[in-house]
Amino acid sequence: MRNHDDTPRLFHFKRRLTPYRSAIRISLIYLMYGVVWILTTDQLLEFMFGDASYYHFLQTIKGWIYVLITAILLYVLVVSTLDLYEEAKKKTEVANLDLQKQLEKTRISEQRFELAVKGSFDSIWEYDGVTKKYFMSRTLLRNLGYSEEEAKLTVLEDWLKFIVPQDREGFLQMTETFIAHPTETLEMTYRVLRADGTVAWIRTHGTSRIEDGKLVKVAGSHTDITLSKNYEEELTKLAYYHSLTGLLNWHGFAKKIQDRIHTQPHTPFTLLYLDIDDFKNINDFHGYSVGDRMLVEIANDLVHLVEAPEAVANLGGDGFGFLIETVDPTKLTNRIASIYASLRKLRSIDGEWLDVSACIGVAQYPKDDQTFDDLMQSADEAMYEAKSKGKNTYVFFSDALHDSRLQSIALTNELRKAVDNDELYMMYQPIYGLDDRRLASMEALVRWKPTGRDHVPPDTFIPLAETTGLIGKIELWVFESVFKQVIAWRSVRHQSVPIAINLSSRGIADDEFVRKIIGLLKKYEIKKGEIEIEITETGLIENYEAALHNLRILRFNGVKILLDDFGKGYSSLTYLVSLPIDLLKIDRGFTSRIHSSNEIDAVIATIVSLAHSINLEVIAEGIEYENQLDYLAKLKTDYGQGYHLHKPALPEIVEKLLK
Ligand code: C2E
Ligand code: MG
Ligand code: MG
């Protein structure tokens, strides 16, 4: 656009231009010029030229000059005025063009908005803070199944009617607070009812216009987020629930307990950790699908034993967790009893009858621990303690238990290095014939003296080695060192004195281990009758089939089998008949009670005669007194072992006996 202020001009008008004013202006300027001309020019001529004829001639010239000057003046005035008009016209045209563009833009954006409102599943809403009017486009309600008429809202209360009753209070509270103290944006999530009675999740978003702290207007959208909400719930399910049993999983249980501690930090509760006994066997013998179905069945039963806010969880595999809202010992014992009752009910899956038992560890908040992880660890420790006591038991966590577990962990670490550090050695305890009192055999007993510490008794480290799997390495060492001893003693002894070696239940059930022993027997050329193996009843029952098979192999390789500690465990007489054994060792527990009652004496007499009747020789262990020895001899017990006869001794001492 041209800048007129910078352009020099003959008559500089004020820039405001109207046709009426411009005409007046031109006329006035013309009038002024005419008046000045007429008033001044005649006098001037008369004064300069007094001659009349010349004067008339000059009058004519003056008339022509007047016409010429006025013509020029008019031309300039009209041109500059028209110029201004031209300029104004151009300006108007440009402004007009701008306006056109603006209008087009508005039209497009209006169309776009209309299309967006129509096409979107959302509804646009607006609330007027002054008139209290509420507008909402109908899309959302139409999509939720309502009629055109029902979807017509005019006040906020109209919208409230669609919100599910449980969420109404919350919605009202939020809107009221917002209207009283408006903020720039508004965000809410709540549920509304569809026309068919089902529920949809809505997210409301709004932006407000606030003047002097008062809400003038707020507008935004309502979006149906049911799908994403369902998806979210599905994800939560995957994250917090066990896919097989549908119970809370580890994460879900952790969250539950953590929330519980957070919301009620001063109210104690109990956490149970339950582990099904021998679940591995169920999987191994009956297959994983039976195992899975059994877990589902157990889970379905356990669920009925708790009611919110209590909870039961499947912590992976055959482990279950319970949140119990009591720490009262009597109530708790009853609850645990009902869990056992539920587990032990007869279960048949695919025609298989399954007997289910479990061990439970109990930890309490806040007495034992204050966090989920610590509580779980304590319950786990208590559960393992229960397992070590046998099946179907429960144990309360205690500091003593914790200490003893810490000790056993430390001991295990030491035991791991015992073989390599040469800390093991063997003792031998002589076994005598009770009729002739001659040395009949010996039992090899392992000893462990950790470097820089006192002896650790085998009753402590053998079970530890069994549970931690270290037993294999230890027993292999025992077998090899006894075999070496057998060879060393071949030259000194003048009669065959077999050596009995104790073999753990793990070892006897382990084909690979038994193969190694057979290999060693061959390597050291051990002869038939030089070695016996002592096994215990409990070990046999645990892995009956595998153990039976391996016992036969060992026997076939010239090793006599001895059943140790008879009378300590189940003492099933049926086993005596069916097992491939050669000797029976009566447990120390029986020997020590000889003459304590007639019944005990009778039982011992029966065992001895029964063993004899099925061609088993009998050893009595733990003989500490002469009268025990006499009674056993009277019963025709074949052999005797005990402190009264000889204590376990180092090879050098035993060697003298052999000579
Ligand atoms: P066990 O096989 O029953 O061994 C007999 C235990 O009774 C030995 O204890 C022995 O010292 C003890 N004993 C013998 N006579 C008497 C007596 O008159 N009175 C009393 N009170 N005790 C007597 P030890 O050596 O402490 O062994 C304990 C257990 O450790 C053994 O019981 C056995 O089960 C296990 N064990 C020992 N050595 C080995 C081994 O090399 N391998 C395996 N797997 N277990 C072993
Ligand atoms: Mg033994
Ligand atoms: Mg024994």
Side-chain angles (χ1 to χ4, degrees), residues 443 445 502 534 536 562-566 568 585-588 621-622 641:
E443 181 175 4
L445 297 161
N502 292 286
E534 296 193 5
T536 60
L562 190 153
L563 189 63
D564 200 358
D565 300 344
F566 187 77
K568 200 176 183 180
K585 202 184 247 192
I586 296 175
D587 189 61
R588 195 164 71 221
E621 71 175 350
Q641 173 185 5

Side-chain angles (χ1 to χ4, degrees), residues 599-614:
E599 284 77 13
I600 285 286
D601 288 1
V603 167
I604 296 170
T606 311
I607 292 173
V608 175
S609 86
L610 186 101
H612 283 160
S613 72
I614 52 171

